[in-house]
Structure formats: C-alpha cells, structure tokens
Amino acid sequence: MRSRSNSGVRLDGYARMVQQTILCHQNAVTGLLPASDVQRDAWVRDNVYSILSVWGLGMAYRKNADRDEDKAKAYELEQSVVKLMQGLLQCMMRQVQKVEKFKHTQSTKDCLHAKYHTATCSTVVGDDQWGHLQVDATSLYLLFLAQMTASGLRIVSNLDEVAFIQNLVFYIEAAYKVADYGMWERGDKTNQGIPELNGSSVGMAKAALEAIDELDLFGAHGGPKSVIHVLPDEVEHCQSILCSMLPRASTSKEIDAGLLSVISFPAFAVEDSDLVNITKNEIISKLQGRYGCCRFIRDGYKTPKEDPNRLHYDPAELKLFENIECEWPVFWTYLILDGIFNGDHVQVEEYREALDGILIRKKNGIRLVPELYAVPADKVEEEYSSPHTVDRVATGKLPHMWGQSLYILGCLLAEGFLAPGEIDPLNRRFSTSFKPDVVVQVCVVAETEQIQALLREQGVEVQTVDQVLPIRILPARILSHIYVKLGNNKKLKLSGRPYRHIGVLGTSKLYSLRNRSYTFTPQFIDQHHFYLALDNQMIVEMLRTELAYLSTCWRMTGRPTLTFPITHSMLSEVDGTIDPAILATLRKLQDGYFGGARVQMGQLASFLTTSFHTHLSFLDADCNVLEEEDECDSVSEEQYEDGESPQDYSHTEVQKRQGGNVTDQGTSKDEFDQYINHLLQSTVSMTHLPCVVRRAGQQHMFSAEHTTRDILSMVAKAQGFQVPKVSMCLPAVPVLNRHRKSLNLLDVPQSHHTTKDLNFDLHLPRDAHGKVDCDSLVEQLKDCPTLQDQADILYILFALKGPDWCVKLSGQCGVTVHSLLNELYGKAGSAKEWGLIRYISGIQRKRVEVLAEACTDLISHHKQLTVGLPPEPREKVITAPLPPEELNKLIYEASGQDISIAVLTQEIIVYLAMYVRSQPSLFGDMLRLRIGLIIQVMATELARSLHCSGEEASESLMNLSPSDMKNLLHHILSGKEFGVERSMRPIESTATSPAISIHELGHTGATKTERTGITKLKSEMKQIFFSGHSIGSSITSPRSTRCSSPSSPSGTLSPTGPGTPHLHWEERQGQWLRR
C-alpha cells in the first residue's frame, strides 16, 4: 500500500475540519445547512458561503489525488455541494409565484424569502415578519451556480429549472433600482425596517448577471435551450449605480465591511481599481479592530447596550453603540482571499497571522471561527473612553459556518492546494484589467429613396432600409417583445421577461434568429414611448450621449454597431430638407469622432465580420414559444406601459417590403415571421380623427373663463368622482390662443386654497335625462377649430367613458378614445405643439421608460428628490428607489392631478439624471432636488427674460421643446446667463403657440449685472443646513400672489405681470432656499 504524501495528510486534516464544522450539520433529505444548533433555519446567503469550502476541498482532492480513495472523496464532497444547491433551488421554486409577481411590482411583500425550514424547504415566517428582500442573497446563489457549473458540477437537471433560473435573472436584473434590506437584513442603519438601496446588493447582482450570461446550465451536455440570456444594459446600470455609491454603502451607512464581498472575492464587481482601493482602505481605516472588522459604524447588534427584547432601535439610540460595535473575524477571511487574488503575500500572511490569534481551538485541535467579539458589559465605559483597548469575548455562533468556510477556502488557496482560477473559472478576478479602446460602428440608413437623394446632395452616401437586405432592420420595441418570450414556462406559470425597453448596448448587437440576421434601431428614436424623440435636437443630444456610453461601457467581443435611420420626421418643417442639427451630426460621424467617441460610419454589410452577434436560441423552431400566437400577442399588447399603443414609426412602409408580407400574414410560412409581421401590422397608424376646421368668427368649444381643470372637475362632479381642489394650474392652451385662462406657475399656493364654485355651466350637450350627451360631443369633434379643442373633448370622453369607449365617427367602428388620443398625439408631434403633447401625454398617463432608473441615479449620488409644488404636504419626498408604477402614481398625486405638471416633472427628473451622470459638479452643494420649485424657478426666469406675465411665462415654459427645456435647466443649475428668442411658426403650420428657443449668452451680450443674475439665483437655491433642523423653502407670504424672481439684477423683484408690486429681495429671503 502506497504511503500517504504530506499534502494528502494535510488535505485529510482540512477534510476533518470541514466534516466536524460544516457537513455534520447538513440535512440528509434537503441538503440544507442550519445556521447553528440554536437557529435551525437555513439562510440562503449563509448556505452558499458555507458550502464553498466543501466545493474547494472537493476540487483539491481531485487535483491532488494520491489514490482512488481520494477521487471517491472528491466525488462525495462535490455531491454534497450539488445537493445543497439543489435544495436551495427547490426552496425558491416553491415560491415561484413570488418570482413572477416581483418582476412587475418589486415590492418587499412579493419577494423570495431569505430563510427556509431546513428539513422541509418550506417557509418559516410570514412575508411581513422578516426583512426578506435581500437581492444580494439571490444574486450570490446565481453567481456560484454559474461558477460551479463552469467548474463541471451539474446542478440544474431539467428545462423547467432552466426557465426558473432565467426568471431569477429577471428577478435580480432591476437590483440597481430596488431598495432592499441588505446583507444584514435590517434595512437602514436605524434598524427601523426601512429598505434602502444597498451597494452590496447592486454589486452582487451585477456580478451574477455577468457570470451567468450565455452560460449553458447543462454544461458540456447542454444545447441552445439550456442557455441563460442577460441583457447587457441591466449589467451596466448596476455598474453605474454601484460606482456612484462607493465607497458609501447606502444612504444611511457611510461604509460597510460587507462591501469586501463586492470589490473582491466573490463578486469582483468593480472595474475601477482606484475605487476598489479607496473602498478597501475606508473599510480598514474606519471599521477594523483587534478582532476583525465591525459591520458598519454604530452597529448595535449583540452589543451590551442593545435591548434584545426590541426588534427596532430608537433613532437617538445609535449614539450608544459608537465605539463598542462588535467585531467580526469573517471579514479578515475576505481580506485573506483578497490578498491571494491580488498576489499580495504580505497582506495574506498578515491577516492569516492575526486570524490565527483569535480562533477558538477545540480539544481535538480543530480551530473554529467565532461569529463575533463583543465588549464585556462591565468594560463598556472603558471602551468608550479608549476605543480598541478592552479585551473582548467571543459570542454568537461557534463556529460561524460562513466565516469557517471562507477560512478553510483561504487556507486551501494559500497553501497551494487550489489555484485562484479553480474557484473562479469564469475569470471574474480580471474585472479591473485594462480594457482596450472601443470603436463604435454607425450605420446610417435612409427611410426612403427621397431621403437618400437629399442626403446624397449633401455628400452623405447611405443605403435605404430595403437595400440592406437580407439583414432586417426593426425598431427596438420589437426586440422588447421578443425578449418577453424568454423564460416562458406554462407548467410553472412563468411569463418570462416583463415588457421593458432595451438599452443601447442591447440594440448595438446583431441578432441571429432562425438563420436570419436582424439589427434593431436604438430606443431613444422611438417616438411612441415618450415625446423626447419628437425633438430632433434632443435626438442629436441623446445620440451623442449613447455613443459616449457605448465607447466606455462596451465589454463584449467585437464592436458595437448602432443603426441610425433618417426618417421623414427628421426633415425641416420649412423647406423639407434634412434638419440642420441632423445633418451636422452626420458630418461629425463622417469625421470619425462624435461626443468624445471614436466612430466608424459605413454600410451594414461591411460591419458583419466585426460586430458582436447573439443567437437567440429560445426562438428556434423546436422551442415552441410561439405556438399560441394569439395568447402571446394579447399579453404583449397589454404590457405596453401607461396605455401606449405599439404604433410603428414612420418607416413602416419600408418594413413591409422586408422579408415578409406585413399586410398578409398568411403568406409567410415561418411562424416567427408571422409574429414579427403581426407586431408591425398592429403598429400601422390609422386616420380617424377629423381635421381641424378654422372658420372666420367661429367660437371655441368652451368659454373664456374656464380652464381645462374646470372642464374635468365639472364632468367628474357630475359623475360622482372626487377631484382634488388644490391645483397647480393645468396648462390648457397656448398663450396666443386666448380662448381660455392660462396657467400661472408663479401663483403662490395657499395651504387653505379657496376654489370657486364648481356649479358652473360648461354648455356641454345634454340628453333627455340631463346627463352629458357624449354622442353630441363626438359630433363636435368634427367642427373643432384647434387641436386643443379636440384634446379637451377627448379628455372629457376619457374621463366619462374611459379609454376603451368606442367613438362613432362617420360610421366607423372599433375606434376608441385611446386610439384617437394616440392619433392626436401624432398630429401634435408633427406640429411640434409641445404644450399639447405634454397635455395628451398626461391624459394617457405616459411614463418615461427610464423614470425609475433616473430617480435611482439621483439617489445613488446621495440626493433626495421632492415632487409637487411647495408647500408640503403636496410636496412628496423620495429618499429610496421606488417601483416604476408606485413612482408614477406618487408623481401624479403630488401634482394634484395636474397632468401636464406631472409629465413635466418626469421630464425634469430625466434631465437631472443626465446631468448628475455627466456633470456631477453641478450638484455639489445640493442634497434635496425640489422638482416643483425648479419648475417655478424656470417659469420665473422666463418671465424675467421675456418681460411678460406669469401666465405667459408658464405657458411659454410648457411650450418649450425638450431640448430647450433641458438647456434652460442646465443654465439654471450652472449659473450661465441665457437668452430667449421668440419666432412665429410658418403660416401653414397647425401650431398656435409661439416658437421659443433657449440659447447661451456670451459676455458681450449681457451686462455684468445681468450676467450675475442667475449666479445669484443658483447660490440662493443651494442647500443650506443647520444643526438639528433644515430651513424650509415653501413660500410663506400669505399676501403675495406672485412668485417673483430672486435673481433680479437690480435687487428688487422683476415684474411678472401688470400691477405686480415691487417687493425687495430681503422681504422674500428664505423662500428659495433648499432643504
């Protein structure tokens, strides 16, 4: 018999340690590990970490086998790992309905549980009896499922489990905008059970998404059906939010030792090595003690001052825990692993030696890692006065299986039994490695031959959409529909990915579907989701932003390929030529640089060999995901958010010539082509709305003393509905269309606002019973002199009958109020009638697709948001990410149901998020961004610049184009003086509002006093704090009826209308100060 080698003997020693500290607790039926002998429940996070040493030991035995028994031992250890991972999978699959629901609600009540019954895999506490929402725990499971599968273990055994794992990906992909309870299960530091955005959760989710992308869960034995797909934009969102948060861990935690798992093993989620070092140094300098690291500053867990009989703390109680926080040895195991992966042998030896000094040794020589070290109750005052001098005592679990496992894994790596690549087969440890420069390939295509000829006249040679065949060009929303099919499983009742927009990283790949190539246009040019894409200047700005984003965030093999169509909407209103802004952009693209990004402009066919290709195998013919087409289509239609109709943009006619007959689905033999053609056919816009009729002397539909809100209030009252009486003044009509009262954003809202009697007569047609005759209202649609009048009538019908009420126009059937609003939205978009566009968007409750992401961007930069005009309680504060639907509802509630203000609020939030990413210095002195106050300031500045009344300024603000709105916001934030230009529209234009544009003034265009105006405004708007309280910023003067400009150069307030009193700035001091 061959003698045992020294390495074999040492391995056997670690095997005994693993057996006596970890595997002896593993349940024989479920494979789960209880937290301890006292706490018998199985936590997901603890189980994954605890089994890592078993996984590593199994690989060490297989690698260093002296005899056949070692190989058998390796197999036994590996199967113990498989059993635990399968047990956790069974726990989660029993809550499959929660996974399905959470994808849509992101509610703490709809999430997977954090712990389960060890013997039965069942739940142990109610949904609201624990901080279950812990995205990092689910992400950690997916991360090591991917790593273990890549190492050769077979954990997933059938396609139903594959579908569930795919839905877990959808479950965590929104982690960057989900407030959870974090890895310590308590939420914010005050331990009040308040969820918050946690860097540890975002980072772990980012790592899991990257690791499992394009992974075959069946390993070498799999095929296309068992591959997991991840959208790259979701990964990049997590990366962006994480980097903006670090080194801070969350809103309430300055630093958290749990971030070690994010910046190093196992996640390696941060790509910036400097940020990694900064975060690690912060942890060591602020949290490290003689026995390990405390979790975070003022952590009261198991300290002598903590009351174990109370679940939550009092806010003032946190001060008691300072300097006596418990120290956790587990964090030294992270630092040992960090040193091993970084090749820092000094760090490894330093922490191994320190850890060895605090381990607890049993009689049989087994060394145990305790859960934590606490200050003795009789030494608290001494520790207060001289931190880190008192000898602490070990308490809590012994061993702490999580820490014990990482300790053993670190020993196996440090002693050479394992190589770093063996426990990181997916090479996540190279995340901070050098990334080469990215060249973005841009393919410009013309919608029609006419546009192609116009471009050729300007020296820009492009192909038309049908000339790029056999590659088919489709809008991004079609790709969103396609991804809805991913993860569908009828047996588990899983619907797949929720209908969400696809980011530019996702649309910059070429896709292979059923042996055919597809490319998708970027989402930002889709005019049907939100009105920003109706503004050509805004398209140019978004293109510049997205190209820069691609050049810095692209991580895939090959180059990104952006397809940019030139459509009829990009032609000038005046002479039908290419819009100057679009043409200037094309010339810059030809030069090879745009927005700081290196670009290469060319034909799509020439980019085939250098682009990144993705095969969407879940749509292959044998996958049967399209077998019930009608049912799938109905689901897809419903998933258009906020009642949007999936209308196609203007190159539908060209798409009809591409690869299938759009108007006759029966001629296409391939079911996938039928599905795509059906989606495209359903987006063809129809013309049902009568044209506006302008006759000399014709009266408007409603009398001059009524606002649009009066119209809705009267109708709602007649129907028994309750409409809030406190209003922020709805923008009803353009300034020049003086048939109705205009809004005035500069009116000072009063807490006890007295509204006029709503018992007025709108002269609406009545039937024999005295009720509003909706059929007669429909007839009035044919005689409306303006688009605004049509919008008002449709608003009334929308409120009385709902969006799905069939409107009988000239005998046409199947025409609904919703479809007419969509048609009117298109007409307003063509006329660039921005106030009306915002009005209709508000009626339809449209939501910016990236609204939740924008709010999270601001919050992750440590800003708070308020929505609604001051004063409180209408002004709502947002301090943590909210689910999209909840956020949208909050904005409309805070806006007092003034729908245009609600829409403008969303727009401002998106612009602020753009600036906080690109120019964070603009927000350096601000904590709370008050959107309602910003809107008031913008209107005030327009009133000052245009020398007009508050009503005219407010209407002018609502009629600004998105790009001008964004520019005005930037000028106010940056302190740059701006100019305003008025110009009348062409005579043939259907718009009734004046065209107003914002431009920057040079130093020669304004006096010194004028140039300092907005600088003074900015300084007064900045956040000011005092100890213990904040200065209120609501307007307090009950006598004032106008909100005047505080930036008036003369030191007195600029007049905002006839008869406005000149108030001195000193009398209004404090009104513009931010919280």
Side-chain angles (χ1 to χ4, degrees):
M1 181 176 177
R2 189 174 58 177
S3 62
R4 194 76 165 128
S5 67
N6 183 50
S7 60
V9 172
R10 287 157 58 205
L11 269 182
D12 290 341
Y14 286 120
R16 283 192 300 273
M17 187 183 297
V18 167
Q19 180 63 41
Q20 294 181 28
T21 59
I22 297 174
L23 286 180
C24 66
H25 300 287
Q26 187 172 29
N27 186 275
V29 177
T30 63
L32 299 181
L33 291 165
S36 68
D37 292 333
V38 178
Q39 295 178 315
R40 301 301 299 170
D41 300 331
W43 272 260
V44 174
R45 182 188 305 100
D46 291 50
N47 268 250
V48 174
Y49 275 124
S50 298
I51 209 65
L52 292 186
S53 61
V54 184
W55 176 45
L57 186 63
M59 287 190 290
Y61 264 108
R62 189 170 298 281
K63 177 181 177 182
N64 300 279
D66 282 340
R67 50 194 180 186
D68 292 341
E69 289 87 344
D70 291 343
K71 294 180 181 178
K73 186 67 174 178
Y75 179 79
E76 177 189 348
L77 292 169
E78 288 169 353
Q79 291 310 301
S80 296
V81 176
V82 171
K83 191 171 184 66
L84 180 138
M85 296 296 284
Q86 288 179 339
L88 289 175
L89 183 58
Q90 291 304 311
C91 292
M92 291 184 280
M93 289 187 71
R94 292 184 181 208
Q95 294 195 300
V96 64
Q97 75 282 358
K98 288 190 172 293
V99 173
E100 177 62 24
K101 199 170 181 181
F102 183 84
K103 291 186 301 183
H104 302 280
T105 66
Q106 294 163 15
S107 168
T108 56
K109 295 182 180 180
D110 298 326
C111 63
L112 290 170
H113 280 209
K115 59 179 182 177
Y116 299 91
H117 193 276
T118 304
T120 63
C121 294
S122 59
T123 58
V124 290
V125 292
D127 293 343
D128 57 352
Q129 295 175 349
W130 198 263
H132 287 299
L133 182 51
Q134 300 169 30
V135 177
D136 73 293
T138 308
S139 301
L140 183 72
Y141 176 82
L142 289 179
L143 171 60
F144 278 107
L145 175 68
Q147 294 278 27
M148 290 172 180
T149 300
S151 74
L153 299 186
R154 295 178 62 182
I155 298 168
V156 177
S157 56
N158 58 56
L159 291 178
D160 294 327
E161 293 178 355
V162 172
F164 181 78
I165 295 297
Q166 181 66 68
N167 280 269
L168 280 187
V169 169
F170 303 146
Y171 180 94
I172 69 166
E173 72 177 4
Y176 59 89
K177 55 182 178 181
V178 173
D180 70 346
Y181 294 101
M183 65 189 301
W184 310 126
E185 305 185 318
R186 293 189 168 198
D188 78 332
K189 184 193 291 190
T190 61
N191 194 24
Q192 297 293 307
I194 303 171
E196 60 180 351
L197 189 67
N198 286 282
S200 55
S201 295
V202 177
M204 198 61 72
K206 186 253 185 183
L209 292 172
E210 283 185 322
I212 207 166
D213 185 25
E214 299 297 327
L215 182 75
D216 192 327
L217 292 180
F218 292 170
H221 306 280
K225 295 182 182 179
S226 53
V227 174
I228 297 297
H229 299 272
V230 177
L231 288 167
D233 292 276
E234 308 297 345
V235 178
E236 195 53 43
H237 281 315
C238 291
Q239 168 77 8
S240 174
I241 296 300
L242 177 63
C243 290
S244 65
M245 295 178 69
L246 294 179
R248 196 174 186 91
S250 66
T251 301
S252 67
K253 301 183 186 74
E254 305 88 342
I255 190 66
D256 188 327
L259 291 174
L260 288 171
S261 65
V262 169
I263 63 174
S264 187
F265 179 85
F268 300 102
V270 182
E271 299 175 4
D272 183 349
S273 58
D274 292 334
L275 187 56
V276 169
N277 292 328
I278 290 171
T279 305
K280 184 167 71 173
N281 292 335
E282 282 281 295
I283 292 171
I284 293 173
S285 63
K286 293 183 179 180
L287 302 179
Q288 184 166 273
R290 293 166 54 200
Y291 298 86
C293 298
C294 57
R295 300 188 300 182
F296 49 87
I297 298 173
R298 295 186 176 181
D299 173 21
Y301 179 67
K302 287 191 179 297
T303 62
K305 292 292 186 178
E306 183 187 42
D307 183 354
N309 299 316
R310 286 189 291 118
L311 180 62
H312 295 141
Y313 300 152
D314 294 327
E317 193 177 3
L318 293 181
K319 177 66 175 175
L320 298 176
F321 308 136
E322 190 168 356
N323 293 330
I324 62 168
E325 303 94 339
C326 294
E327 295 175 2
W328 297 59
V330 65
F331 297 117
W332 281 354
T333 67
Y334 279 109
L335 289 166
I336 291 171
L337 291 166
D338 174 68
I340 291 170
F341 279 98
N342 290 329
D344 189 341
H345 302 293
V346 175
Q347 177 178 319
V348 173
E349 291 306 316
E350 177 185 344
Y351 282 102
R352 286 193 74 189
E353 182 179 346
L355 187 61
D356 190 62
I358 61 172
L359 296 179
I360 307 297
R361 286 167 173 78
K362 294 177 67 177
K363 293 180 181 180
N364 56 6
I366 299 295
R367 289 163 292 180
L368 303 180
V369 178
E371 181 180 13
L372 49 84
Y373 278 87
V375 176
D378 58 343
K379 299 288 186 69
V380 170
E381 295 302 325
E382 184 180 343
E383 185 73 1
Y384 276 149
S385 58
S386 302
H388 305 301
T389 59
V390 170
D391 292 333
R392 300 187 175 216
V393 294
T395 186
K397 305 179 187 73
L398 185 70
H400 182 227
M401 275 192 274
W402 170 354
Q404 188 76 28
S405 178
L406 293 183
Y407 164 68
I408 296 171
L409 189 62
C411 291
L412 292 172
L413 286 163
E415 296 178 24
F417 290 109
L418 286 175
E422 290 176 293
I423 61 168
D424 181 31
L426 295 174
N427 296 324
R428 295 212 45 77
R429 62 195 182 280
F430 299 127
S431 60
T432 57
S433 301
F434 171 76
K435 306 293 190 303
D437 290 339
V438 174
V439 177
V440 183
Q441 300 173 156
V442 180
C443 175
V444 179
V445 293
E447 178 187 19
T448 63
E449 293 182 357
Q450 174 196 357
I451 295 178
Q452 183 186 36
L454 290 173
L455 289 170
R456 186 179 295 117
E457 291 176 3
Q458 301 295 330
V460 181
E461 287 290 339
V462 299
Q463 292 179 303
T464 60
V465 176
D466 55 345
Q467 288 174 346
V468 302
L469 290 173
I471 304 172
R472 191 172 183 184
I473 300 176
L474 296 173
R477 64 180 175 277
I478 301 298
L479 186 58
S480 296
H481 276 292
I482 289 173
Y483 269 106
V484 168
K485 307 299 180 184
L486 177 60
N488 262 308
N489 188 283
K490 294 179 183 177
K491 288 194 285 185
L492 295 175
K493 297 181 180 180
L494 290 169
S495 63
R497 186 178 190 266
Y499 182 88
R500 298 188 187 124
H501 85 292
I502 306 293
V504 71
L505 291 174
T507 57
S508 296
K509 302 188 288 185
L510 296 185
Y511 289 85
S512 174
L513 293 88
R514 301 198 178 190
N515 299 318
R516 186 167 184 180
S517 294
Y518 293 82
T519 185
F520 295 89
T521 56
Q523 188 76 50
F524 67 82
I525 64 171
D526 191 339
Q527 299 177 355
H528 299 88
H529 278 278
F530 205 66
Y531 53 80
L532 300 185
L534 295 169
D535 182 3
N536 288 331
Q537 186 62 47
M538 199 68 199
I539 288 178
V540 169
E541 292 186 26
M542 289 189 287
L543 176 63
R544 179 185 293 108
T545 301
E546 299 292 26
L547 287 176
Y549 176 74
L550 281 172
S551 66
T552 56
C553 300
W554 184 262
R555 296 291 179 266
M556 289 160 275
T557 308
R559 292 177 174 178
T561 302
L562 188 145
T563 305
F564 187 65
I566 306 298
T567 65
H568 277 92
S569 64
M570 297 179 183
L571 300 183
S572 172
E573 296 180 56
V574 180
D575 53 10
T577 58
I578 304 296
D579 187 287
I582 298 293
L583 188 59
T585 299
L586 295 179
R587 298 197 187 283
K588 291 178 181 177
L589 291 174
Q590 286 179 316
D591 292 339
Y593 283 91
F594 184 57
R598 292 177 57 196
V599 298
Q600 180 179 349
M601 187 171 160
Q603 296 184 358
L604 200 54
S606 65
F607 294 150
L608 287 178
T609 57
T610 54
S611 299
F612 180 81
H613 295 256
T614 293
H615 177 212
L616 298 185
S617 53
F618 63 92
L619 287 175
D620 287 346
D622 60 341
C623 290
N624 301 321
V625 295
L626 299 173
E627 59 183 5
E628 294 187 9
E629 183 178 336
D630 294 336
E631 178 183 343
C632 295
D633 292 338
S634 64
V635 172
S636 297
E637 296 294 330
E638 291 172 1
Q639 288 175 330
Y640 270 94
E641 298 181 352
D642 307 311
E644 291 185 44
S645 173
Q647 299 177 6
D648 193 17
Y649 53 80
S650 54
H651 59 269
T652 302
E653 293 301 320
V654 179
Q655 290 175 338
K656 290 181 181 180
R657 300 194 294 269
Q658 292 191 15
N661 189 345
V662 174
T663 60
D664 184 8
Q665 296 179 45
T667 61
S668 178
K669 296 181 180 180
D670 186 272
E671 63 175 351
F672 177 69
D673 280 343
Q674 292 181 27
Y675 175 68
I676 294 299
N677 293 338
H678 173 79
L679 291 176
L680 292 176
Q681 185 181 19
S682 67
T683 63
V684 177
S685 59
M686 303 296 178
T687 303
H688 301 291
L689 199 63
C691 297
V692 293
V693 179
R694 300 189 183 184
R695 300 187 180 96
Q698 182 181 6
Q699 296 296 318
H700 292 282
M701 293 293 108
F702 305 101
S703 56
E705 70 270 14
H706 299 143
T707 65
T708 300
R709 185 168 187 82
D710 293 334
I711 297 169
L712 183 58
S713 298
M714 182 64 184
V715 175
K717 184 178 180 182
Q719 294 297 312
F721 299 128
Q722 194 68 29
V723 176
K725 294 183 179 181
V726 181
S727 171
M728 287 197 294
C729 306
L730 179 71
V733 292
V735 178
L736 298 185
N737 193 10
R738 289 287 183 173
H739 71 275
R740 194 176 327 126
K741 293 168 68 176
S742 299
L743 84 160
N744 187 350
L745 287 168
L746 307 188
D747 276 341
V748 179
Q750 304 295 330
S751 57
H752 299 288
H753 185 69
T754 57
T755 55
K756 59 187 176 184
D757 184 12
L758 292 178
N759 294 318
F760 48 73
D761 187 8
L762 295 175
H763 306 294
L764 298 177
R766 306 279 175 172
D767 58 17
H769 302 286
K771 296 183 178 180
V772 176
D773 189 346
C774 293
D775 291 331
S776 298
L777 273 179
V778 171
E779 289 300 314
Q780 290 186 9
L781 277 175
K782 302 176 183 178
D783 298 321
C784 289
T786 66
L787 296 178
Q788 179 69 51
D789 285 313
Q790 289 186 333
D792 288 335
I793 291 176
L794 290 176
Y795 194 173
I796 295 173
L797 293 175
F798 185 94
L800 291 177
K801 296 294 187 179
D804 299 323
W805 186 65
C806 288
V807 180
K808 298 177 182 177
L809 277 172
S810 304
Q812 297 175 341
C813 298
V815 181
T816 64
V817 175
H818 175 73
S819 62
L820 291 180
L821 281 170
N822 280 331
E823 187 179 339
L824 185 60
Y825 177 83
K827 289 184 177 181
S830 299
K832 308 302 182 192
E833 188 71 87
W834 299 110
L836 184 56
I837 291 170
R838 292 182 174 99
Y839 179 35
I840 300 171
S841 297
I843 295 175
Q844 295 186 296
R845 293 296 194 268
K846 283 183 181 287
R847 186 183 75 231
V848 187
E849 183 68 38
V850 295
L851 179 62
E853 289 89 334
C855 282
T856 305
D857 267 324
L858 294 167
I859 292 169
S860 68
H861 283 83
H862 319 304
K863 309 300 176 188
Q864 296 178 357
L865 284 176
T866 68
V867 293
L869 286 178
E872 295 183 0
R874 281 185 299 154
E875 197 175 28
K876 307 293 185 183
V877 183
I878 302 172
T879 59
L882 296 174
E885 290 299 333
E886 186 177 338
L887 181 60
N888 201 41
K889 181 181 178 182
L890 180 67
I891 290 175
Y892 276 94
E893 287 178 353
S895 302
Q897 302 302 318
D898 281 352
I899 51 181
S900 293
I901 299 291
V903 171
L904 182 58
T905 296
Q906 298 182 53
E907 192 178 337
I908 297 297
I909 290 174
V910 170
Y911 298 154
L912 288 172
M914 290 180 179
Y915 286 133
V916 82
R917 287 192 298 264
S918 60
Q919 301 178 52
S921 58
L922 292 176
F923 303 83
D925 299 326
M926 302 179 191
L927 172 66
R928 182 169 289 182
L929 302 172
R930 306 180 66 188
I931 308 302
L933 187 58
I934 289 173
I935 293 174
Q936 284 186 328
V937 172
M938 294 169 79
T940 302
E941 286 304 300
L942 284 183
R944 183 182 65 84
S945 299
L946 294 172
H947 305 290
C948 64
S949 69
E951 291 181 351
E952 291 175 318
S954 300
E955 291 293 349
S956 298
L957 178 67
M958 281 297 172
N959 282 290
L960 285 178
S961 68
S963 56
D964 282 331
M965 189 75 73
K966 182 170 176 278
N967 289 340
L968 176 58
L969 177 63
H970 183 266
H971 288 308
I972 287 176
L973 291 173
S974 64
K976 293 181 179 179
E977 190 63 87
F978 64 92
V980 182
E981 289 184 354
R982 287 184 185 267
S983 61
M984 296 306 296
R985 299 177 185 270
I987 295 178
E988 64 274 9
S989 173
T990 60
T992 55
S993 61
I996 298 175
S997 61
I998 305 296
H999 61 88
E1000 184 175 346
L1001 283 183
H1003 289 294
T1004 57
T1007 66
K1008 180 178 180 181
T1009 306
E1010 291 169 339
R1011 289 197 305 272
T1012 58
I1014 295 191
T1015 303
K1016 182 177 180 181
L1017 172 65
K1018 181 190 176 187
S1019 65
E1020 298 298 341
M1021 285 178 60
K1022 285 186 177 179
Q1023 201 70 37
I1024 296 182
F1025 291 99
F1026 289 89
S1027 176
H1029 70 280
S1030 61
I1031 291 183
S1033 58
S1034 56
I1035 299 172
T1036 56
S1037 173
R1039 298 178 182 177
S1040 175
T1041 58
R1042 288 291 162 87
C1043 186
S1044 308
S1045 170
S1047 61
S1048 192
S1050 62
T1052 60
L1053 294 171
S1054 300
T1056 56
T1060 303
H1062 285 239
L1063 301 177
H1064 288 279
W1065 167 241
E1066 289 75 10
E1067 298 176 24
R1068 302 293 298 273
Q1069 188 173 8
Q1071 294 180 6
W1072 298 94
L1073 300 180
R1074 298 193 168 201
R1075 288 178 186 265

